[in-house]
């Protein structure tokens, strides 16, 4: 009988730990990592990786990370081309130069 109580007690104590472990796994990825994987997956049209990266952080954090990645990429590309970020952005989107 003591063995049944011990096993039930162990299951009770183990359940919150499993839940907390899942929370730690979810927090293992930061928003910039999620944004990088998300954008790369979008470029490669990989829906499974898009869905996976979307689950790593909140939608707001992912949006911020994607925006930050876009800004950094645009600045790097503008420096590489020796053009203004505005000119490069318009070029990438196929818009006429202003």
């Amino acid at each position: 009988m003591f063995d049944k109580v011990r096993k039930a007690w162990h299951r009770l104590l183990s359940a919150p730990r499993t839940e907390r472990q899942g929370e730690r796994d979810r927090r293992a990825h930061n928003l910039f990592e999620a944004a990088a994987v998300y954008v790369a997956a979008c470029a490669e049209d990989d829906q499974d990786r898009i869905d996976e990266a979307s689950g790593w952080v909140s939608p707001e954090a992912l949006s911020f990370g994607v925006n930050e990645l876009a800004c950094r990429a645009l600045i790097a590309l503008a420096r590489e081309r020796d053009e203004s970020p505005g000119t490069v952005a318009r070029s990438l989107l196929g818009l006429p130069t202003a």
Side-chain angles (χ1 to χ4, degrees):
M1 178 158 171
F2 180 72
D3 191 47
K4 288 183 182 181
V5 172
R6 185 183 58 78
K7 286 180 182 179
W9 183 252
H10 178 71
R11 278 193 308 266
L12 179 66
L13 293 177
S14 296
R17 286 189 195 138
T18 303
E19 191 173 300
R20 283 185 294 228
Q21 179 65 35
E23 290 174 11
R24 275 186 292 225
D25 290 345
R26 181 180 171 112
R27 293 183 191 144
H29 303 282
N30 68 38
L31 65 102
F32 297 116
E33 182 181 12
V37 171
Y38 180 84
V39 170
C42 287
E44 297 168 356
D45 199 27
D46 185 344
Q47 189 61 46
D48 291 337
R49 282 186 35 219
I50 291 170
D51 295 340
E52 180 183 1
S54 296
W56 290 348
V57 295
S58 72
E60 296 83 10
L62 183 60
S63 177
F64 174 81
V66 168
N67 183 61
E68 186 66 23
L69 177 60
C71 290
R72 291 179 186 193
L74 187 63
I75 290 168
L77 191 56
R79 287 179 181 159
E80 184 179 295
R81 292 183 179 184
D82 197 28
E83 296 177 350
S84 74
T87 301
V88 173
R90 295 184 71 79
S91 171
L92 289 172
L93 293 172
L95 300 172
T97 55

